[in-house]
Amino acid sequence: MKNKFPSQFQAVADDVKSPRLMELQNRLDELQRNGMTAVTIRTILFQKMLDAYQVPSDHFLRDSETPNRIDDPSLLSSLKKLGFSKKPQHQIH
């Protein structure tokens, strides 16, 4: 297991051959080949999740340590308790 590269493992999803999933996997592979670590990617995804929940840029959550699991339901309930909600997907400007 130690000698296998992460790119040798396939994603687990309903449709592994889905064009959108394959494109995303290719982009992530390219980022990692260019030196970005999985920890950095997780941190970016956490910040994007805070964006989706409309957390202001100066809020203490932005400076907090990235949780081990950004899909943890308690994290989402904490955001809701703090008064944050997801942006509507189709905003009209």
Side-chain angles (χ1 to χ4, degrees), residues 74-85:
S74 67
L75 179 59
L76 299 180
S77 65
S78 296
L79 285 168
K80 289 179 182 177
K81 284 180 186 174
L82 289 169
F84 299 112
S85 61

Side-chain angles (χ1 to χ4, degrees), residues 14-79:
D14 290 339
D15 186 6
V16 175
K17 298 297 182 190
S18 153
R20 294 181 88 186
L21 182 61
M22 289 174 66
E23 179 186 349
L24 178 59
Q25 185 64 54
N26 290 336
R27 287 182 182 181
L28 289 171
D29 289 345
E30 183 65 25
L31 288 171
Q32 287 186 310
R33 278 191 295 276
N34 288 326
M36 186 176 283
T37 66
V39 173
T40 304
I41 293 171
R42 184 173 47 119
T43 301
I44 291 168
L45 290 173
F46 176 64
Q47 292 297 320
K48 293 308 288 180
M49 184 184 75
L50 295 179
D51 289 346
Y53 276 84
Q54 304 178 69
V55 177
S57 60
D58 60 349
H59 195 273
F60 75 90
L61 284 174
R62 297 281 184 175
D63 295 327
S64 65
E65 187 175 318
T66 302
N68 288 331
R69 288 193 51 205
I70 59 174
D71 63 338
D72 185 355
S74 67
L75 179 59
L76 299 180
S77 65
S78 296
L79 285 168

